[in-house]
């Protein structure tokens, strides 16, 4: 039975360790080190992350792409009128999860979310391929549409409209930055005795706590 097959799926994690005496004392710096490892390992889209939001005590989650990182936080872009945008307006707190299974690593991030400046959004929008720009203009993200054909027609109309002119960033499109209050690094270990180090923001510094697996 499929249920038995699923319950029997099991891996033993042996690739690494995570020692509080060896990690960077700054959580963002530590993330950058792990992200560099993920890129060096040629992981497909290492910047893919789960974004979890909520509204009216109902959780929601989806995969988005990290597009910028600084000591202030993690930046991603979307349609502000999308489901995630409406949820972030109602509750400007969220969580991120990165899974780099090839390295047996996971990073969990929690914090507050706010929009980036229009200038930052504009700069990123103009750096995108023309097809992606037109896609952002054509799609009313999360809204119902009659058919794939109707969506394709919207998109092709935008491609034709901007064939000889520069696309204009929609007013309802732009970036968010998640400013972390906690970042947890997880390294798989044998026998499910995983390493978990949680960085908690205390003022400008980070406090590192080891958690049981």
């Amino acid at each position: 039975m499929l249920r038995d097959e699923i319950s029997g799926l099991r891996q033993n994690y042996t690739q690494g360790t995570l020692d509080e005496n060896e990690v960077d004392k700054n959580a963002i710096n530590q993330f950058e080190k792990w992200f560099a490892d993920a890129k060096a390992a040629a992981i497909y889209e290492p910047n893919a992350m789960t974004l979890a939001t909520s509204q009216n005590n109902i959780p929601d989650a989806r995969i988005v792409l990290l597009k910028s990182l600084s000591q202030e936080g993690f930046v991603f872009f979307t349609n502000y009128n999308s489901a995630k945008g409406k949820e972030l307006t109602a509750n400007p707190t969220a969580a991120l999860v990165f899974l780099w299974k090839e390295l047996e690593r996971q990073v969990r991030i929690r914090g507050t979310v706010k929009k980036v400046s229009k200038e930052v959004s504009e700069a990123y929008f103009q750096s995108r391929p023309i097809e992606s720009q037109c896609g952002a203009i054509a799609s009313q993200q999360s809204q119902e549409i009659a058919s794939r054909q109707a969506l394709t027609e919207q998109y092709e109309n935008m491609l034709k409209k901007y064939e000889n002119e520069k696309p204009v960033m929609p007013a309802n499109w732009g970036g968010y930055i998640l400013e972390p209050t906690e970042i947890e690094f997880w390294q798989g270990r044998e026998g499910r005795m995983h390493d978990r180090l949680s960085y908690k923001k205390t003022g400008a510094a980070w406090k590192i706590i080891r958690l049981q697996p």
Side-chain angles (χ1 to χ4, degrees), residues 2 8 32 38 48 83 92 102 107 134 144 167-168 183 194:
L2 180 60
E32 289 178 335
E102 295 85 350
V107 183
C134 288
E144 292 186 11
V168 178
I183 301 180
H194 312 305

Side-chain angles (χ1 to χ4, degrees), residues 190-209:
E190 291 185 85
R192 293 301 186 265
M193 295 301 291
H194 312 305
D195 285 325
R196 295 176 62 189
L197 295 184
S198 175
Y199 289 67
K200 295 183 182 293
K201 195 75 176 286
T202 56
W206 294 91
K207 181 180 180 181
I208 302 176
I209 302 169

